Amino acid sequence: MARRTVAIIGPHSSVTAHVITHIANELQVPLLSFSALDPTLSSLQFPFFIRTCHSDLYQMTAIADIVNYHDWKDVIAVYLDDDNGRNGIGALGDKLAERRCRISYKAPLSPDASMEEISNVLVQVALAESRVIVVHANTQFGPKLFSVAKNLGMMGTGYVWIATAFLSALLDINSPLSSDSLDDIQGVLTPRMYTPDSQLQRRFASRWKNLTSGNTANAHLGLSFLPIYAYDTVYVLAHALDAFFKQGNQITFSTDSKLSSIHGDNLNLEALKIFNEGNLLRSNIYEVNMTGVSGPFKYTSDRNLVNPAYEIINVIGTGTRRIGYWSNYSGLSVVPPETLYSKPANLSRENQKLFAPIWPGNTGERPRGWVFPNNGRLLKIGVPKGVSYKEFVSQIEGTDTFEGFCIDVFLAAVSLLSYAVPYKFVPYGEGKNNPSMTELVRLITTGEFDGAVGDIAITTERTRMVDFTQPYIESGLVVVAPVRKEESNALAFLAPFTPKMWCVTAIFFILVGAVVWILEHRVNDEFRGPPKKQVVTVLWFSFSTMFFSHRENTVSALGRFVLIIWLFVVLIINSSYTASLTSILTVQQLYSPIKGIESLVIGKEPIGYTQGSFARNYLVHEIGINESRLVPLTTTEEAAKALRKGPENGGVAAYIDERAYTDIFLSSRCDLTVVGQEFTRNGWGFAFPRDSPLAVDLSTAILQMIDNGDLQRIHDKWLLSSACLSQGAKLEVERLQLKSFWGLYVICGLACLLALLVYLIQIWRQYHKHYVSEELDSSDGQSLGSKSSRLKTFLSFADEKEETVKSRSKRRKMERISYRSSEGSSSISSNKGYAPRRSECASEV
């Protein structure tokens, strides 16, 4: 640096680079590194640090995508405890967190660790739950670690080993590896920095082979990504310097005042000079755009190289196999990344693909990725010890054993798993009051319990704390209230329809009758006569269609069209009325002043709920019911007694509980029933810590139980009880409303309007043809009178029978023809007398 340096290439390690970058920044000398891949070495913190290779951030992203692709949630990180190792694993943790995965255990190792120290650390790793292990080391330390893992039996079935790019570099440099070294890494996955194939690269590989084969020391030095990027680094600097000088720049140096003030006999700091044009050279480096041995070489706006990509390598047998690629453009794929750059970017999970690798233990079956910790510890499963509803969960007296519907479902689901689950049930609650399920779930987050099994409803608040399995029973909140029988009365026949429905139906009966009368009046004698008779005819015809007993025949096509549609409407209305009335008269009817949760919201009566249930928080915070109105009830007997007392006698107006409970509660209490609909949609599930793989596997087992009928059989064993006879009764009358029939009425109304429109057009044409034209002929084109007289004439015309109009029109037409014939004869006779007189005049002249 004392020799007036304008650029630095190197150093090899990130640890050294962290030190030298401070000097490079101070002297404004660009530092180009192709091997210091530490993600924290950024151009933001160190402006003169220029990475000419891809940062470890990208390979950590690739590893996170591999973990997520195989649906693993927890990984163990084994790494060298230096700047490069710590910062690389930190980047991996960030990328895993973005995919809802995590590093569950970190195992740092000293760069100078002995085989015994490595063994001690790996033993702790083997005792952990996760079996997905990521190794971040270097080419010298990595083989030692895998050799120890092999000796400990950790390279067998069930393990997943993912090594960072140091392993692919080792395979390339020392190709072929010895058989012993390959045995230590069978089934391991590792990313290899991807450089697209090109003629330039093939020519470089040939030259590299010739170069290393001539030197005994380098006889086995294969070509990895490091020589390729080192070569491109020199070329990039050459291009930048060429552009620098072509711009007319000069190389000058100046003294650093900060260093001059520091006195040291041996440091010789005053000899260090600042490169004045360092910023210009750095800018020229970032502006280089060339095609190197590694492919397109260009920097992005964030000063990283374009198109970071890796091959995913699987060590198999005596060599390796590529199972896919990764790029930050398209994620995981089985085709080279450059073929995807021309297509729209698609990082969706469905688009991620890899060929199936061979895993440690020489198996093609994807490892589960986790086991229960091999430390003899049993999972503590919390079980609520309540007072009521022993059918769901109860502890057998004098033992630590539990029984009930929820327990049997859990045991059956566990038996379907492909692995053993070491667990023990731990009671929660003193057995005198119902425990808080929310508090039980919270204790899972603190580590007091490893899970919870019981009648635990899945709520929004609880899902924020833990993961639940697939619901094994549906159970929303309902309202239970006392009911009484409703006696029939003399006006029961009016009950099927609502008042609005009755009114609209009556209006349509009269309307259809009037429309049919209008359409039939001019052509049908049955619809003619004195006004009183016609009114009676309209009413009789209208209401007789209700029973299809109308005796008047329809003659016109339009009348028949309207009548057919109306009879269809009447058929539907009659059938609905009959069915509803039959139900009202034959099925027992119940009555309750409480209609549902809406009645409770607007009322002020006390409301009961099960102690420890989530119903209290839901009613207060979600629905807005005053907390002073809520009465906690411990047992079913206490709830039934409070309901029967009523609010007037110190009881409650209604009781809120979950549907699964109320089915048992009401099976022996015929004077109580559910009113309204379920106002929540909940289910019960088993609770486990966040991202627990056991929750996923048990969910699959529960779905399998649903498919094969095991869940229904367990339900029938514990919850199938004889229902109260009144459960078949209806709560109040289900009246038919207008909204159920408005479509029929609209169709009928449109048919009437259409028929009337066509009828008016027809009658207007007849009026113009048979009356107006005749009047014009008779009046010699003179005015036909005022508008009122013309309207009266039109109405009179419309009231006349059509046959009469046609007969009169025909008679008038014949009279006009006869009149014109007589006029023609008179004209001929007069012409014959005129001819002799004309000849006489001619003779006189």
Side-chain angles (χ1 to χ4, degrees):
M1 295 299 293
R3 296 176 182 176
R4 300 193 174 188
T5 302
V6 297
I8 307 169
I9 296 179
H12 181 71
S13 72
S14 297
V15 177
T16 309
H18 272 282
V19 179
I20 298 180
T21 48
H22 291 283
I23 303 174
N25 278 348
E26 184 65 28
L27 301 182
Q28 299 182 15
V29 176
L31 172 64
L32 293 81
S33 179
F34 56 87
S35 56
L37 309 181
D38 186 346
T40 62
L41 285 169
S42 67
S43 58
L44 293 176
Q45 184 179 3
F46 306 107
F48 284 87
F49 176 80
I50 301 174
R51 184 181 284 113
T52 55
C53 191
H54 297 300
S55 167
D56 272 349
L57 178 68
Y58 296 112
Q59 75 161 327
M60 295 305 175
T61 306
I63 292 173
D65 280 344
I66 294 172
V67 171
N68 187 50
Y69 175 78
H70 290 96
D71 293 323
W72 298 316
K73 295 300 181 183
D74 292 350
V75 303
I76 296 175
V78 180
Y79 59 96
L80 289 181
D81 193 14
D82 56 17
D83 288 342
N84 186 58
R86 288 189 297 270
N87 296 332
I89 293 302
L92 175 63
D94 293 340
K95 294 302 178 181
L96 287 172
E98 292 176 4
R99 292 153 180 79
R100 288 200 65 184
C101 305
R102 62 170 184 156
I103 298 176
S104 59
Y105 182 73
K106 292 183 179 181
L109 284 164
S110 170
D112 301 323
S114 63
M115 300 293 277
E116 183 180 358
E117 291 172 334
I118 296 174
S119 178
N120 293 336
V121 169
L122 291 183
V123 167
Q124 297 300 317
V125 170
L127 294 176
E129 179 178 322
S130 177
R131 282 293 181 264
V132 182
I133 304 170
V134 178
V135 180
H136 188 37
N138 54 40
T139 54
Q140 291 80 30
F141 192 88
K144 293 168 56 179
L145 188 146
F146 282 112
S147 176
V148 174
K150 176 74 172 178
N151 294 333
L152 293 175
M154 298 176 64
M155 300 301 297
T157 303
Y159 281 90
V160 177
W161 289 86
I162 304 175
T164 52
F166 80 88
L167 183 59
S168 60
L170 179 66
L171 292 169
D172 291 335
I173 293 171
N174 297 326
S175 180
L177 279 178
S178 64
S179 59
D180 291 340
S181 298
L182 282 173
D183 286 343
D184 293 341
I185 57 175
Q186 288 295 304
V188 177
L189 301 183
T190 178
R192 172 195 286 156
M193 203 166 292
Y194 176 70
T195 55
D197 185 36
S198 65
Q199 185 178 358
L200 185 62
Q201 186 180 119
R202 289 192 295 270
R203 189 163 60 245
F204 179 84
S206 177
R207 293 170 59 193
W208 178 266
K209 183 177 181 181
N210 294 335
L211 176 67
T212 57
S213 61
N215 189 338
T216 305
N218 297 332
H220 299 291
L221 188 61
L223 179 62
S224 69
F225 72 93
L226 290 171
I228 292 175
Y229 280 95
Y231 186 85
D232 282 349
T233 299
V234 177
Y235 247 94
V236 166
L237 182 57
H239 277 285
L241 286 170
D242 185 53
F244 176 83
F245 290 119
K246 285 182 178 179
Q247 294 167 0
N249 297 312
Q250 299 293 325
I251 295 177
T252 60
F253 296 89
S254 60
T255 303
D256 190 344
S257 58
K258 297 179 183 178
L259 297 177
S260 301
S261 61
I262 301 176
H263 299 285
D265 295 336
N266 300 323
L267 295 178
N268 195 27
L269 296 178
E270 64 274 4
L272 299 179
K273 304 294 182 182
I274 295 177
F275 179 29
N276 296 327
E277 288 77 23
N279 280 313
L280 293 175
L281 180 58
R282 183 187 61 172
S283 298
N284 280 304
I285 293 173
Y286 281 127
E287 292 173 1
V288 170
N289 186 1
M290 71 174 196
T291 301
V293 178
S294 61
F297 201 103
K298 181 183 177 182
Y299 285 94
T300 61
S301 58
D302 59 358
R303 296 182 176 179
N304 288 311
L305 288 179
V306 297
N307 303 333
Y310 293 85
E311 299 174 85
I312 310 302
I313 303 301
N314 182 206
V315 181
I316 305 173
T318 59
T320 61
R321 170 175 170 255
R322 182 174 57 225
I323 62 172
Y325 302 87
W326 178 91
S327 71
N328 70 329
Y329 183 78
S330 57
L332 299 172
S333 66
V334 294
V335 296
E338 63 268 19
T339 62
L340 301 174
Y341 292 146
S342 59
K343 301 177 181 178
N346 188 352
L347 292 171
S348 63
R349 184 176 177 84
E350 295 75 16
N351 198 53
Q352 306 300 293
K353 295 180 181 178
L354 285 177
F355 293 119
I358 300 298
W359 303 102
N362 196 29
T363 177
E365 183 180 357
R366 182 184 70 85
R368 190 169 70 244
W370 65 277
V371 295
F372 289 103
N374 189 20
N375 53 14
R377 176 178 173 272
L378 300 178
L379 295 179
K380 294 189 297 182
I381 305 297
V383 180
K385 190 177 180 181
V387 179
S388 54
Y389 303 112
K390 301 291 186 179
E391 296 87 348
F392 294 104
V393 177
S394 64
Q395 186 176 11
I396 300 176
E397 292 295 334
T399 67
D400 294 333
T401 307
F402 288 83
E403 64 178 1
F405 170 72
C406 301
I407 301 298
D408 280 5
V409 172
F410 176 76
L411 296 177
V414 169
S415 67
L416 293 176
L417 300 179
S418 59
Y419 50 88
V421 180
Y423 67 90
K424 64 177 180 179
F425 289 135
V426 179
Y428 172 71
E430 73 281 1
K432 298 179 180 179
N433 294 302
N434 294 320
S436 170
M437 299 299 179
T438 303
E439 181 62 20
L440 172 59
V441 169
R442 191 192 65 80
L443 292 176
I444 297 176
T445 63
T446 63
E448 184 169 342
F449 292 113
D450 298 307
V453 171
D455 44 349
I456 306 171
I458 303 173
T459 65
T460 303
E461 180 185 4
R462 296 170 185 173
T463 54
R464 294 192 181 105
M465 296 186 284
V466 297
D467 280 351
F468 282 92
T469 62
Q470 171 78 18
Y472 56 87
I473 188 172
E474 298 297 327
S475 182
L477 290 178
V478 294
V479 179
V480 177
V483 292
R484 59 180 176 82
K485 295 181 182 179
E486 186 176 31
E487 301 297 335
S488 181
N489 55 60
L491 298 178
F493 67 92
L494 296 176
F497 288 168
T498 61
K500 185 184 294 185
M501 179 68 180
W502 279 116
C503 293
V504 173
T505 303
I507 291 172
F508 262 85
F509 269 106
I510 298 174
L511 176 64
V512 171
V515 170
V516 172
W517 179 85
I518 293 173
L519 299 176
E520 295 289 323
H521 180 65
R522 300 186 70 243
V523 295
N524 194 339
D525 289 335
E526 294 182 356
F527 288 88
R528 299 187 64 81
K532 289 185 178 180
K533 179 184 177 182
Q534 293 307 298
V535 171
V536 173
T537 299
V538 169
L539 295 177
W540 165 254
F541 178 83
S542 299
F543 290 99
S544 62
T545 57
M546 180 186 300
F547 311 103
F548 304 97
S549 59
H550 51 285
R551 62 190 180 192
E552 292 82 3
N553 293 321
T554 52
V555 177
S556 67
L558 292 175
R560 291 175 177 177
F561 168 71
V562 171
L563 185 60
I564 287 174
I565 293 179
W566 174 242
L567 290 178
F568 175 74
V569 175
V570 170
L571 175 64
I572 300 298
I573 294 175
N574 276 344
S575 302
S576 303
Y577 176 85
T578 303
S580 181
L581 184 61
T582 303
S583 175
I584 292 171
L585 297 179
T586 58
V587 179
Q588 181 183 355
Q589 304 295 325
L590 303 177
Y591 170 77
S592 172
I594 305 297
K595 310 302 180 185
I597 189 64
E598 298 82 5
S599 301
L600 298 178
V601 172
I602 62 178
K604 295 183 179 180
E605 299 86 356
I607 304 169
Y609 71 95
T610 302
Q611 182 187 29
S613 170
F614 73 96
R616 176 185 173 280
N617 287 338
Y618 186 86
L619 293 173
V620 173
H621 298 113
E622 300 296 332
I623 298 184
I625 294 178
N626 195 311
E627 189 175 358
S628 61
R629 295 176 57 195
L630 301 180
V631 179
L633 303 171
T634 304
T635 63
T636 56
E637 291 76 14
E638 185 180 350
K641 183 178 179 181
L643 283 170
R644 291 182 178 122
K645 279 185 176 181
E648 299 84 3
N649 301 316
V652 296
Y655 173 56
I656 307 293
D657 209 345
E658 297 180 62
R659 187 76 200 212
Y661 294 142
T662 59
D663 289 343
I664 296 176
F665 178 72
L666 298 175
S667 62
S668 58
R669 296 173 175 86
C670 300
D671 57 336
L672 307 173
T673 191
V674 173
V675 294
Q677 302 295 323
E678 291 186 28
F679 54 93
T680 65
R681 290 289 185 267
N682 301 99
W684 292 355
F686 307 131
F688 294 94
R690 296 301 297 268
D691 298 323
S692 171
L694 189 57
V696 177
D697 292 346
L698 283 177
S699 294
T700 304
I702 291 172
L703 292 175
Q704 186 177 345
M705 292 171 59
I706 294 174
D707 293 338
N708 60 26
D710 287 346
L711 188 61
Q712 185 61 43
R713 282 188 285 272
I714 297 173
H715 178 276
D716 295 344
K717 172 186 174 182
W718 289 99
L719 307 180
L720 188 62
S721 56
S722 58
C724 179
L725 295 177
S726 66
Q727 296 299 310
K730 287 188 176 182
L731 185 61
E732 298 186 342
V733 179
E734 297 179 359
R735 313 186 78 178
L736 299 176
Q737 300 182 7
L738 179 61
K739 64 181 181 181
S740 302
F741 299 92
W742 71 270
L744 288 173
Y745 286 125
V746 168
I747 293 173
C748 184
L750 292 176
C752 291
L753 290 176
L754 179 62
L756 287 175
L757 180 62
V758 174
Y759 175 76
L760 289 175
I761 293 174
Q762 289 178 347
I763 197 172
W764 175 258
R765 292 179 61 188
Q766 291 178 7
Y767 172 72
H768 192 273
K769 176 180 178 182
H770 297 293
Y771 191 86
V772 175
S773 59
E774 292 176 0
E775 291 297 322
L776 288 173
D777 290 341
S778 62
S779 61
D780 296 329
Q782 295 179 2
S783 174
L784 296 177
S786 63
K787 291 183 178 180
S788 59
S789 61
R790 290 165 61 185
L791 179 59
K792 291 179 180 180
T793 304
F794 175 75
L795 294 177
S796 299
F797 175 81
D799 185 55
E800 287 185 297
K801 193 174 182 180
E802 188 173 339
E803 292 181 1
T804 303
V805 172
K806 289 182 178 180
S807 299
R808 185 176 66 247
S809 177
K810 184 176 181 181
R811 185 175 66 254
R812 288 184 177 180
K813 186 175 181 181
M814 294 299 297
E815 290 175 354
R816 285 198 301 271
I817 293 173
S818 175
Y819 176 75
R820 289 174 181 172
S821 298
S822 61
E823 282 187 345
S825 299
S826 301
S827 175
I828 292 172
S829 299
S830 61
N831 287 338
K832 286 180 179 181
Y834 172 73
R837 289 195 300 271
R838 184 179 179 187
S839 60
E840 290 177 1
C841 293
S843 300
E844 292 178 358
V845 171

